């Protein structure tokens, strides 16, 4: 499960007031919810794109801190997707993920990667 920060000064509920609706728009019908680390997240058991096996996404709320977007994309093995003749779906899956994360966080892929690198560096032990 990855958690993404919003752009400075922005909040998830402002960027995506109907988070469930946005998840359904990008990935397919929400079939239920699942608890993760005390947060109730939406589950898409049968995503529209054949590359995805299952998607879990929602707001991770932390009291005094800004909310984060928590997302887990379970993807099928590339060999299976290609064998079924759905190679084009792989590019669509990448686009859907990136567009969803950009709309939700206000950060493009490069900015999200840089942010995750900084978090890992901050967690590294000092020797």
């Amino acid at each position: 499960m990855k958690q993404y920060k919003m752009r400075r000064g922005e909040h998830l509920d402002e960027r995506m007031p109907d988070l469930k609706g946005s998840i359904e728009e990008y990935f397919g019908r929400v079939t239920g919810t699942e608890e993760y680390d005390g947060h109730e997240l939406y589950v898409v058991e049968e995503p529209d794109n054949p590359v995805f096996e299952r998607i879990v996404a929602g707001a991770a709320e932390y009291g005094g801190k800004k909310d984060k977007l928590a997302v887990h994309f379970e993807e099928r093995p590339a060999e299976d997707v290609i064998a079924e003749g759905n190679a084009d779906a792989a590019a669509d899956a990448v686009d859907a993920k990136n567009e969803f994360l950009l709309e939700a966080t206000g950060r493009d892929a490069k900015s999200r990667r840089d942010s995750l690198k900084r978090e890992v560096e901050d967690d590294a032990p000092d020797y």
Side-chain angles (χ1 to χ4, degrees), residues 98-114:
N98 282 328
E99 288 171 16
F100 174 73
L101 292 170
L102 176 61
E103 182 179 340
T105 66
R107 296 172 153 206
D108 62 9
K110 182 179 183 320
S111 176
R112 291 191 307 269
R113 266 192 312 275
D114 291 346

Side-chain angles (χ1 to χ4, degrees), residues 13-108:
D13 59 347
E14 293 169 354
R15 293 197 60 83
M16 286 189 156
D18 179 15
L19 183 56
K20 181 180 177 184
S22 295
I23 291 168
E24 289 182 331
E25 181 182 322
Y26 280 98
F27 305 111
R29 190 173 68 80
V30 170
T31 54
T33 61
E34 184 175 290
E35 186 174 319
Y36 169 77
D37 205 20
H39 310 291
E40 198 72 18
L41 306 178
Y42 298 109
V43 177
V44 179
E45 288 290 349
E46 296 177 16
D48 294 341
N49 188 306
V51 170
F52 299 119
E53 192 152 321
R54 183 172 188 260
I55 297 169
V56 180
E61 300 169 0
Y62 294 101
K65 295 182 180 179
K66 281 181 26 175
D67 296 349
K68 293 183 178 182
L69 176 70
V71 183
H72 178 68
F73 297 103
E74 286 182 32
E75 296 181 8
R76 297 177 53 229
E79 304 83 36
D80 295 351
V81 174
I82 292 169
E84 293 172 358
N86 291 320
D88 293 345
D92 293 340
V94 170
D95 289 345
K97 282 195 303 189
N98 282 328
E99 288 171 16
F100 174 73
L101 292 170
L102 176 61
E103 182 179 340
T105 66
R107 296 172 153 206
D108 62 9

